[in-house]
Every structure is written in structure tokens, then in C-alpha cells.
Amino acid sequence: MIGAKFRSSIHWFQSWLSQAKTTNPDNILNKPPEDIIQEFSQKLAQLSPPLEYRTAIQETLTSALSDWQQNVTSANSLVILGCSVEPIAQIIQDSLTDECSQNWQIIHPLALCKRSPDCSSLKTAINEALFSQTESQSADYGGDANPELSERQTLVVIPCLAQCFLRCIEGWEGIEFLQNAVVKDKSRFWLIGCNYSAWTFLDQVCQVSAYLEQVHPLPKLKGDALQKWLAPVTAQLTPEDDDADMDLADCKSLASLASGVSSVAAQLWLQALRIRAADIPDAVSESKPKLTPQGVTLEIPVNLRQTKPILPSLPDLTATDRYLLHSLLLHGQMTRTDLALSLGESEQLVRSRVQMLQRAGVIVQQQEQLNIYPAYYPSLKTELVNNNFLLGDG
């Protein structure tokens, strides 16, 4: 019996060795050169938010505004919740149509969605914006700062609430001012974007949901929606065979893996791109990009292949790493200084852990802003939930 198993093992090994010898090394699939990855990363970043996101916001906002204009007791705010790695500010801004701008007086108290070192600056920004608007409104309505239902025409937009506070002593003072301002003055409607983790935290420390009652989550994207959204980028692949187009089955699998989150799906797709060794241009590392009307593009055409996306594995995390990553999910993009302040740790300690997580690919940096790399979000979410962190996402 043992001899038969041994002979079977020998036969399998010889068969495998024979196949390995006949495999053409030029057909082995490799990760594309970094220049190519960066080019496609830029193309993904240039995509508009998915139509399903924008449609959901537009329809919900239209209904909420209509109710507010017709009923004195209707809610005068709408909070749009999304995943921590989604660009919620861009999604909110891109969902405001030209028709909306024509029919409503839109106020943007925060011209840039960047966190200020002084977290109470939200209070100042809102005060200044509303004071200026109230003066104009008083002139239009003959001095009446609280117009009738039919005259309610002001929409205040806070694209990203997570950029308006810091988890530290008095770090959410501006949020408390904001929620009181919404409740006290029904003459304005507030459209606010936020991520699940920030919303869960703010509800714990200042009961934000008691003031901003109308909350609507972004929809989870299905396979057909992802297929249409990614089409402008996937159409630019030029493989030699017929595996260029992502069929619906592939997109359904991608949507499931990404939990229906567009930014996660985009990065998983990007990380699954491969190229045959024979197709790697010899001069990719030495080539100089040329400037075209569409932007900077590579001179060398390449044949890329789509492989099955997989979730990247997290490195071994310490307790400090988990708190650090949770803070990034909570606040969104932030500087090392703000991150250290939110953790109550020295900036030196935070810097060393950030560098390790950057090398592992879990954290990415743009200029001075740190953020979670979206492809790691599903695994990170599971890791944090298993360690009793509250994320509020599903």
C-alpha cells in the first residue's frame, strides 16, 4: 500500500517536472512595471463617481427638499453615509446638478475639505457663511430672516463631516455647534457627507443622529454597475487574445469581493492586472513620458491581461497599529501630526508605525496626507471588528 502511494507520488512529481521544463518563460504572467500601474491609477482617479451613487443622492435630496418646502416640521438636513475609503466629498459635489445650482442658493461654508489644526474653525466658517447669507436674505425678503415655506431656497453643503473634527479633547466642538445650528434654524437645508466610522463615533460622543435625523447610505454597487463604471478604463486594455472585456460574471465576482464599494473594486482590479514576460517593454524603466492633450501617457504600448482579483493579506498588526488604522478610517485623510494627536501618542512613535504600514502597502500618502489603501479595506474591516472596534459599516 505504501509502495503504491510512493510510486504515485514519484509519477506526479515527474509529470510536474516535465511540464515545468516545457513551460515557456515568456508566457509567465508578471505584475506590470510601476509606470504602467501609475498610468492606469490616474485613469481610475479621473472617473466620475458611479452613476448609481449620484442618482441615489439626487433622488433622495430632491424628495427631502420637497418635503422641507411643504411641511414646517420636516427635517432640514440629509446625511449621506459612505465607506471610509470612498471620496465622499467628491461624490457629494458631483451629485449637485446644474439644475440644483439654478434653483437653489447653495452655500459652501468650507471651501476646501481639509482639516484645520484648530478644530473649532468649523464654527467660525459656518458663522461667517451664514451671517453673510443672512444679510443678503434679509434684503431679498424685506428683513425677514425666517422666510415662509415657499421661500425656503437655501442649501448648505458640508461635503465631508469627517474632515471637520479630530478625536481629541474639544476636537468635536465644531460638530456640536453644527448640529445645534441645524436644529435652531429651519430656514436652511443642510446636505452633509460622512463615513460610517465617523458617524458612529460622533453619535457616541455628541448624539449627532438626534440632531441630524435623516440619514441615507450610498448603495452597494452590483456587477453590472461596476462593469459600466470601469468600462472607460478597461476598454483601454489591449491584450492579444479575447480576454480584454470584463464580462458580467467577472464584475459580479469583483463587486462581491469589494462589498459593493467602488474605490475598493477599482484598486482590486488594478492590482489584478498582469503582463506576459515577453510583452514587457525593455525600455519601460528608461522611457520618458510624452505630454499629450489628454495628459501624460506612456509612449510604449503594452498588452495587459486581467486575472482574478484577490484581497491582499494584512501584515501582522500590533495593538498600536489597529488604533492607528482605525483613526484613519474614522477621520479619512490626515497628516501625521493630526494622527498622533488623535491617538494621544508621540509623533515619533506614530511615524515609525506609519512607515512600516506604508512599506506593507496598507497606508498610502499623497503630499502630507495619509489614508488607507482601499484594496485593504475589506480585510481591515474584518480585523478591526474582530478586535471590538466599532465601524458602523454594515
Side-chain angles (χ1 to χ4, degrees), residues 191-259:
L191 175 62
I192 301 171
C194 191
N195 71 63
Y196 289 104
S197 298
W199 186 256
T200 300
F201 170 75
L202 292 173
D203 208 25
Q204 286 185 319
V205 297
C206 53
Q207 295 74 53
V208 66
S209 64
Y211 297 82
L212 309 176
E213 302 177 13
Q214 198 165 202
V215 179
H216 188 82
L218 289 176
K220 300 295 184 182
L221 298 182
K222 297 181 179 180
D224 55 347
L226 274 180
Q227 186 180 42
K228 293 176 183 177
W229 180 59
L230 290 172
V233 178
T234 60
Q236 297 181 43
L237 299 185
T238 56
E240 294 176 349
D241 47 27
D242 296 329
D243 62 358
D245 297 329
M246 289 184 70
D247 61 30
L248 186 55
D250 292 334
C251 290
K252 286 182 177 179
S253 176
L254 179 60
S256 176
L257 198 63
S259 300

Side-chain angles (χ1 to χ4, degrees), residues 31 41 68 80 110 143 160 175 179 201 208 233 257 274 310 345 351 354 365:
K31 285 190 174 182
S41 180
W68 172 65
I80 302 296
L110 309 178
C160 185
I175 301 295
Q179 60 191 25
F201 170 75
V208 66
V233 178
L257 198 63
R274 293 293 183 269
I310 59 173
E345 298 284 0
R351 182 180 296 274
V354 164
Q365 180 174 349

Side-chain angles (χ1 to χ4, degrees), residues 284-328:
V284 157
S285 60
E286 302 174 0
S287 65
K288 295 182 179 180
K290 66 178 181 180
L291 196 62
T292 70
Q294 290 74 33
V296 175
T297 60
L298 291 176
E299 293 186 34
I300 303 174
V302 292
N303 297 320
L304 297 176
R305 311 297 178 93
Q306 293 178 346
T307 62
K308 185 177 180 179
I310 59 173
L311 292 178
S313 299
L314 288 169
D316 292 334
L317 300 177
T318 65
T320 299
D321 294 335
R322 294 189 190 96
Y323 281 105
L324 186 156
L325 293 169
H326 177 252
S327 190
L328 283 175

Side-chain angles (χ1 to χ4, degrees), residues 87-269:
I88 190 67
Q90 179 191 351
I91 294 170
I92 292 287
Q93 297 286 19
D94 287 4
S95 299
L96 296 176
T97 62
D98 293 338
E99 181 180 356
C100 185
S101 300
Q102 294 171 2
N103 295 336
W104 296 89
Q105 182 177 2
I106 301 179
I107 301 176
H108 296 274
L110 309 178
L112 296 175
C113 295
K114 302 295 183 183
R115 186 176 291 103
S116 168
D118 177 11
C119 296
S120 64
S121 63
L122 176 63
K123 177 179 178 180
T124 302
I126 290 176
N127 259 333
E128 291 178 352
L130 297 189
F131 178 76
S132 173
Q133 192 268 343
T134 299
E135 287 185 336
S136 172
Q137 189 183 58
S138 296
D140 292 340
Y141 298 124
D144 182 6
N146 296 288
E148 299 296 329
L149 288 176
S150 61
E151 297 173 330
R152 290 181 171 183
Q153 296 291 333
T154 304
L155 176 62
V156 185
V157 181
I158 308 289
C160 185
L161 198 62
Q163 292 292 319
C164 300
F165 77 96
L166 197 62
R167 185 178 56 186
C168 62
I169 297 175
E170 299 182 352
W172 49 87
E173 179 182 311
I175 301 295
E176 293 175 338
F177 173 80
L178 168 64
Q179 60 191 25
N180 287 324
V182 172
V183 170
K184 289 180 179 179
D185 185 0
K186 294 287 188 177
S187 68
R188 302 178 180 88
F189 191 94
W190 300 70
L191 175 62
I192 301 171
C194 191
N195 71 63
Y196 289 104
S197 298
W199 186 256
T200 300
F201 170 75
L202 292 173
D203 208 25
Q204 286 185 319
V205 297
C206 53
Q207 295 74 53
V208 66
S209 64
Y211 297 82
L212 309 176
E213 302 177 13
Q214 198 165 202
V215 179
H216 188 82
L218 289 176
K220 300 295 184 182
L221 298 182
K222 297 181 179 180
D224 55 347
L226 274 180
Q227 186 180 42
K228 293 176 183 177
W229 180 59
L230 290 172
V233 178
T234 60
Q236 297 181 43
L237 299 185
T238 56
E240 294 176 349
D241 47 27
D242 296 329
D243 62 358
D245 297 329
M246 289 184 70
D247 61 30
L248 186 55
D250 292 334
C251 290
K252 286 182 177 179
S253 176
L254 179 60
S256 176
L257 198 63
S259 300
V261 179
S262 68
S263 57
V264 176
Q267 295 307 314
L268 289 177
W269 173 86

